[in-house]
Amino acid sequence: MTFRDQQGNTLSGASAEAVALFDQAVTAFNLYRGDPIGLLDRALGIAPDFAMAAIMKAHILAGATEPAASREAALLVRRLGAMRLNEREASHLVALGLLLEGRWTAAALALDRHGIDHPRDMVALQCGHLLDFYRASARNLRDRLARALPCWPPELPGYSILLGMYAFGLEECGDYGRAEEQGRQALALEPLDCWAHHAVAHVMEMQGRPEDGIGWMQSRESCWSGDDNFFKVHNWWHRALCHLELDQPDQALALYDGPVRAGQSAVALDLVDATALLWRLQLAGLEPGERWRELASAWEQHADGRLYPFNDWHAAMAYLGAGQEQDITRLLAQYQANGDGETASWARETGRPLIEGFVAFRHGDYPLAVERLYGARHIVNRFGGSHAQRDIIDLTLAEAALRGGLPRLSEALARERLALKPHSGINRSLLARSRTAAALS
């Protein structure tokens, strides 16, 4: 008997009961709710040779940017090599192999080619979209979905999820009006779509609309803040950024101590958000105190200097705050020891100057911080998250210029920022402080 998923793709080694669990796992992954790994394990318990269940689990683990998860994904890939796979499943295995070798761009391009042949493969689309995010490819965040959407009739299960991913790609490419329209349309079809919700939040962040952002988060909080929601910390982070924009650091700190960090998540993506928020709070004049030590301890299992430099850089912020500079020395030594390959290149060419720039800032060596961060901030289409996440580089650079007696540079950076967000309170304050410093110099 031939089994197919919700989008009509043929599944090898499946059973009717296992397919039902697989479809539930795909939906959970789409919405970032529930336990897709648990559902996939149940499917594999029923049908041990169910290739797509193992492939999807390997994709989730390999994309977690956590060393232990990557090792588990590698075991699954070795097991898949002994299974009977159809052409679509074998194509997935090629992409997974590249990813586990640290060849992020090659893996993303392999899923590009895969998507051309299999445009209704939801797992490939979502995992490819995440790879585009991790390597900061704004264009492909948009175009991967633009290629696929015409092949999806609106009644096909998962169509709204594609709209939400497309919304985020449009936002990262600066097409804010269309991004918000697509995100809202996605949520009208599926209110629980956390990715679409966060795409609209990104639009409001990039346009400097903090009041709208807080209203947006509050009005939909029941849809994204549940205990079973994998994305809730990131959405709380978005709300905290709105409070910082409105010069409300105490409210942002309360969110940090509450929903962002009260549960002390050990998930790398949650640690990135917590660390970046704490650093921004420190820039705003609050002293995090012992909070840094808790974060630094949580980072130790993830920051290995090999897997993903974006994580290492955030771990370095926590190590700086906690006074654990020996761990930064360890990371930089590992960067020196790494061989060739894309991840090693990211680490040497961008990860090292970012870490060195933040170290210099923490030590009060502001001219050195400016020197390191000015070039390292141009990491778009290389690696590392969203525009909103990378903005911490420019904020730290501008503050270093101002504190380091370089008011003309900080004023120039403020003008640059205001061209993109003319109503931003943070940017207007930076401009005013820079002009005052220039007048006094």
Side-chain angles (χ1 to χ4, degrees):
M1 181 179 294
T2 299
F3 294 99
R4 299 180 185 274
D5 64 18
Q6 296 178 89
Q7 289 78 34
N9 300 292
T10 303
L11 301 169
S12 302
S15 70
E17 186 179 359
V19 170
L21 289 166
F22 174 79
D23 285 339
Q24 291 175 45
V26 172
T27 299
F29 185 40
N30 293 162
L31 300 178
Y32 296 93
R33 298 175 68 92
D35 183 10
I37 293 289
L39 290 164
L40 293 169
D41 284 341
R42 288 171 59 192
L44 287 165
I46 295 166
D49 294 325
F50 187 177
M52 267 313 294
I55 286 167
M56 181 178 168
K57 181 178 178 180
H59 270 303
I60 294 173
L61 292 170
T65 71
E66 297 178 359
S70 291
R71 289 191 291 271
E72 188 176 349
L75 293 174
L76 277 168
V77 166
R78 283 198 287 273
R79 177 183 164 194
L80 280 159
M83 288 186 186
R84 180 173 296 178
L85 308 178
N86 63 31
E87 180 274 331
R88 182 177 71 95
E89 294 157 352
S91 177
H92 270 286
L93 196 58
V94 169
L96 278 166
L98 293 167
L99 177 57
L100 290 169
E101 291 172 3
R103 299 169 63 187
W104 293 74
T105 297
L109 294 179
L111 288 177
D112 272 4
R113 294 187 291 272
H114 177 103
I116 291 168
D117 294 331
H118 306 284
R120 296 185 183 180
D121 187 333
M122 174 61 85
V123 173
L125 282 169
Q126 188 170 359
C127 292
H129 188 67
L130 289 172
L131 290 186
D132 296 334
F133 168 73
Y134 287 130
R135 64 194 183 96
S137 177
R139 176 174 175 175
N140 218 37
L141 279 166
R142 178 193 65 192
D143 292 349
R144 185 183 298 275
L145 279 302
R147 292 189 292 268
L149 268 166
C151 302
W152 282 63
E155 65 273 11
L156 191 67
Y159 176 78
S160 67
I161 303 302
L162 269 65
L163 294 180
M165 289 190 282
Y166 189 42
F168 183 60
L170 289 167
E171 178 276 321
E172 288 296 286
C173 288
D175 196 347
Y176 299 129
R178 291 177 66 209
E180 186 165 350
E181 176 188 357
Q182 293 291 309
R184 289 180 180 272
Q185 184 180 345
L187 289 162
L189 296 170
E190 175 48 84
L192 299 180
D193 184 348
C194 295
W195 195 259
H197 178 92
H198 116 285
V200 176
H202 270 273
V203 169
M204 294 171 178
E205 162 67 19
M206 298 307 294
Q207 290 186 319
R209 297 160 52 193
E211 295 93 344
D212 287 349
I214 291 173
W216 174 250
M217 306 304 288
Q218 289 177 328
S219 67
R220 307 189 60 84
E221 187 173 319
S222 63
C223 296
W224 57 259
S225 64
D227 289 342
D228 66 341
N229 193 306
F230 180 75
F231 221 61
K232 60 181 181 293
V233 168
H234 189 68
N235 279 323
W236 283 117
W237 176 81
H238 272 285
R239 179 170 166 185
L241 295 193
C242 295
H243 287 294
L244 286 174
E245 186 69 60
L246 293 170
D247 194 24
Q248 299 169 349
D250 290 338
Q251 286 91 323
L253 182 62
L255 291 177
Y256 179 92
D257 287 335
V260 171
R261 203 61 203 145
Q264 297 192 349
S265 168
V267 174
L269 296 175
D270 292 345
L271 292 174
V272 165
D273 289 333
T275 303
L277 177 55
L278 212 54
W279 187 273
R280 285 174 184 250
L281 284 162
Q282 191 166 268
L283 289 178
L286 295 183
E287 182 48 54
E290 287 300 306
R291 296 176 182 87
W292 280 128
R293 197 171 301 280
E294 184 273 321
L295 273 182
S297 176
W299 268 118
E300 289 175 1
Q301 63 184 303
H302 299 314
D304 64 355
R306 299 183 183 90
L307 183 62
Y308 191 51
F310 190 74
N311 288 356
D312 297 335
W313 162 46
H314 282 81
M317 294 182 215
Y319 294 150
L320 280 170
Q324 297 176 205
E325 297 204 26
Q326 72 278 5
D327 288 303
I328 297 174
T329 302
R330 169 181 58 81
L331 286 176
L332 294 178
Q334 183 59 54
Y335 284 1
Q336 191 66 31
N338 287 342
D340 296 328
E342 185 172 33
T343 306
S345 175
W346 288 348
R348 285 192 299 267
E349 296 174 12
T350 304
R352 174 181 285 276
L354 277 177
I355 291 173
E356 290 176 345
F358 274 64
V359 169
F361 184 90
R362 181 70 173 181
H363 289 174
D365 189 346
Y366 299 120
L368 180 60
V370 168
E371 178 188 328
R372 293 290 189 270
L373 296 180
Y374 193 87
R377 69 187 181 133
H378 298 290
I379 66 174
V380 176
N381 292 329
R382 299 188 66 186
F383 82 98
S386 66
H387 294 307
Q389 287 178 305
R390 292 188 299 271
D391 192 46
I392 195 172
I393 304 169
D394 289 272
L395 286 170
T396 305
L397 169 63
E399 194 64 33
L402 188 56
R403 297 184 189 184
L406 300 168
R408 289 184 181 177
L409 175 58
S410 64
E411 182 177 347
L413 293 169
R415 292 196 301 266
E416 174 187 299
R417 295 176 63 81
L418 282 163
L420 294 174
K421 293 172 65 174
H423 306 295
S424 164
I426 289 175
N427 295 342
R428 288 180 172 181
S429 173
L430 175 64
L431 181 63
R433 289 190 297 137
S434 299
R435 286 177 172 171
T436 298
L440 295 174
S441 63

